[in-house]
Amino acid sequence: MKNLFKKIYEKNNRTLPFLYIILRVILKLSGKYKEINEEIVEGIKNFEDEKITKSKFRKQHRKLVVYRYIYSLRASEYYLYDFEKNSYRDREKFVTRHQTARYYTIINDKKFRKILDKKNLCYKVFKDYYKRELICIAGEQDIDELKEFINNHNEFIVKPFDGHSGDGIEIIKRNNFNSNEEICEHLLLKVPFIAEELIKQSSELGCFHEQSVNTVRVVTFQYKGDFAILWSFLRTGQGSSEVDNMGSMGIGALIDSNTGRIISDGIDWKGASVEEHPDTKIQFKGFQIPKWDELIETVKNLASELSEMHCVGWDLALTDKGWVLVEGNARPQCVTIQTFTKKGYKKYYENMYNLVKKIK
């Protein structure tokens, strides 16, 4: 039915109001409309001008409901990819967050994805690459270990075992609490979580934004002993933010994976281009990421530790000790790279999917 509706719309886009009525009924009957509607309303509010008229809002809402169904496209993706500017043929080249879920069922085996999905398991496998103190707190049985950790660190970061995209992360500062016991009580409400020593980033990369730990995301693919870097990019926070994730209002910039040189302007969380970092005025394009060869060697070593995982997004930070692992991502998403390039990367996922499927 999805393909039928897509053909109807692309043959005559004036059918959109008619399709919207039908799809709204279908989605309501399936119980999916409420969630989709909330996501679309939020997307329009985030990306459209605050002065958008009610008439334009309704028109855009109808379009995004239809697009969600026929293209599996979220509202944020519609805006970030400049989706409307693409021909119908080029729209098929994009891969959406929803679609990548199907590809990863084959590309990365579920039992090994768990290692990267669970931050506590990830630490056990890649402990040597963290180069900082980290503890895993599963419950009150770990209270003594937590107390000792708090005594040793005036500041540290807490992350849920299953967190992603910056969700649930909190930086704990002892000065914000009356006592260590109060910190313990506060944190035990968050179990399970990991508590880790704050990364002391090198000024070589911290120069973009000191308040956040600026990281490099490198997406790799390995197959039958062959290794390749698919894409890489810098992520940095801005303003008072202490995280660099673009989903948390950070800024990204595309890196040439061969040289380590940034080859794009910065892109903010709304997809807007910025030549310089808004706080430090450092120009993105042309900036050479320090110790790039060392980073590539580290990524290769990380991938070799878990060869059963074919495609991984590695997040690394630069410290005075060299590059350190922040985390590995078992389902690295397509949103950032497609936002940078305004081009579809579905072919990458199809090729990985078909290659790995042969050896399943």
Side-chain angles (χ1 to χ4, degrees):
M1 187 177 292
K2 180 179 293 188
N3 288 333
L4 173 62
F5 286 171
K6 186 188 297 183
K7 288 179 181 178
I8 291 172
Y9 172 73
E10 293 182 351
K11 188 173 182 179
N12 183 359
N13 57 27
R14 286 181 294 183
T15 59
L16 189 142
F18 169 72
L19 292 174
Y20 167 75
I21 293 171
I22 296 176
L23 291 176
R24 181 171 176 172
V25 172
I26 292 174
L27 292 171
K28 281 194 170 186
L29 289 174
S30 66
K32 297 178 181 179
Y33 181 77
K34 182 179 179 181
E35 180 182 350
I36 290 174
N37 177 64
E38 289 175 353
E39 182 265 318
I40 289 173
V41 170
E42 182 181 3
I44 295 174
K45 288 180 178 179
N46 285 338
F47 289 91
E48 291 284 353
D49 191 290
E50 291 180 0
K51 297 180 180 179
I52 184 173
T53 64
K54 290 183 179 180
S55 175
K56 185 179 179 182
F57 186 97
R58 287 194 296 269
K59 184 177 180 180
Q60 192 71 344
H61 182 275
R62 287 196 295 267
K63 178 186 290 185
L64 291 173
V65 169
V66 173
Y67 278 25
R68 179 60 176 268
Y69 186 83
I70 67 176
Y71 296 120
S72 301
L73 192 75
R74 295 187 181 207
S76 57
E77 292 176 297
Y78 169 86
Y79 290 103
L80 291 172
Y81 304 158
D82 286 345
F83 198 71
E84 199 69 25
K85 296 180 181 179
N86 287 273
S87 66
Y88 292 138
R89 177 177 294 181
D90 286 339
R91 290 179 186 185
E92 293 299 321
K93 297 176 182 178
F94 283 87
V95 58
T96 69
R97 289 181 66 95
H98 177 78
Q99 292 167 341
T100 56
R102 180 182 71 87
Y103 290 118
Y104 279 124
T105 58
I106 295 296
I107 294 172
N108 288 335
D109 191 289
K110 184 177 181 180
K111 64 181 178 181
F112 294 105
R113 288 204 310 263
K114 183 179 179 181
I115 294 174
L116 295 177
D117 287 342
K118 300 276 189 180
K119 288 181 171 59
N120 57 319
L121 298 181
C122 187
Y123 176 67
K124 290 179 181 179
V125 174
F126 299 104
K127 183 177 181 179
D128 293 341
Y129 298 89
Y130 281 79
K131 301 178 183 177
R132 59 192 182 278
E133 187 178 359
L134 185 151
I135 59 172
C136 302
I137 305 299
E140 291 192 12
Q141 68 272 18
D142 301 316
I143 189 70
D144 290 339
E145 186 177 11
L146 178 59
K147 286 180 177 179
E148 182 179 355
F149 183 87
I150 293 171
N151 285 332
N152 293 334
H153 300 282
N154 290 325
E155 294 183 345
F156 56 93
I157 191 167
V158 171
K159 303 175 183 178
F161 280 4
D162 301 325
H164 60 86
S165 302
D167 293 339
I169 290 178
E170 182 181 2
I171 293 179
I172 301 296
K173 298 180 180 180
R174 194 185 294 179
N175 291 341
N176 293 337
F177 295 83
N178 294 320
S179 64
N180 289 358
E181 287 71 23
E182 185 178 334
I183 298 176
C184 282
E185 291 176 6
H186 171 73
L187 291 179
L188 286 175
L189 298 175
K190 296 176 174 289
V191 292
F193 62 85
I194 64 169
E196 65 180 68
E197 177 185 354
L198 288 178
I199 293 172
K200 297 180 178 66
Q201 68 179 335
S202 166
S203 60
E204 293 176 278
L205 206 55
C207 59
F208 276 102
H209 187 253
E210 292 182 355
Q211 294 91 324
S212 62
V213 176
N214 309 313
T215 63
V216 172
R217 162 70 64 88
V218 181
V219 179
T220 63
F221 179 70
Q222 56 182 339
Y223 174 77
K224 288 188 173 181
D226 291 329
F227 172 88
I229 295 177
L230 302 183
W231 55 80
S232 52
F233 50 88
L234 170 71
R235 303 187 304 184
T236 173
Q238 62 172 320
S240 60
S241 176
E242 294 180 319
V243 295
D244 67 342
N245 194 286
M246 289 181 69
S248 301
M249 302 182 70
I251 300 174
L254 189 61
I255 299 172
D256 181 334
S257 297
N258 293 315
T259 65
R261 190 173 296 276
I262 294 178
I263 55 176
S264 76
D265 289 334
I267 301 292
D268 71 13
W269 69 285
K270 286 190 175 184
S273 178
V274 290
E275 292 184 8
E276 301 175 339
H277 192 286
D279 299 317
T280 57
K281 308 305 178 186
I282 295 176
Q283 186 170 320
F284 286 101
K285 188 180 291 186
F287 184 92
Q288 177 65 49
I289 303 297
K291 301 178 181 177
W292 186 253
D293 290 342
E294 180 186 322
L295 180 146
I296 297 303
E297 187 65 25
T298 301
V299 167
K300 286 182 178 179
N301 291 336
L302 283 165
S304 68
E305 296 278 358
L306 197 60
S307 59
E308 296 87 354
M309 289 290 292
H310 297 285
C311 183
V312 178
W314 305 100
D315 294 340
L316 296 105
L318 183 60
T319 72
D320 292 339
K321 298 177 183 178
W323 289 100
V324 300
L325 178 65
V326 177
E327 64 182 17
N329 298 269
R331 287 172 287 262
Q333 286 299 331
C334 51
V335 176
T336 304
I337 186 63
Q338 292 182 150
T339 299
F340 284 136
T341 63
K342 309 302 182 189
K343 295 179 181 178
Y345 274 64
K346 183 183 288 185
K347 199 68 179 176
Y348 280 77
Y349 286 85
E350 289 180 344
N351 288 342
M352 289 189 288
Y353 179 91
N354 291 328
L355 278 172
V356 177
K357 195 173 182 180
K358 290 180 182 178
I359 59 175
K360 287 288 183 179

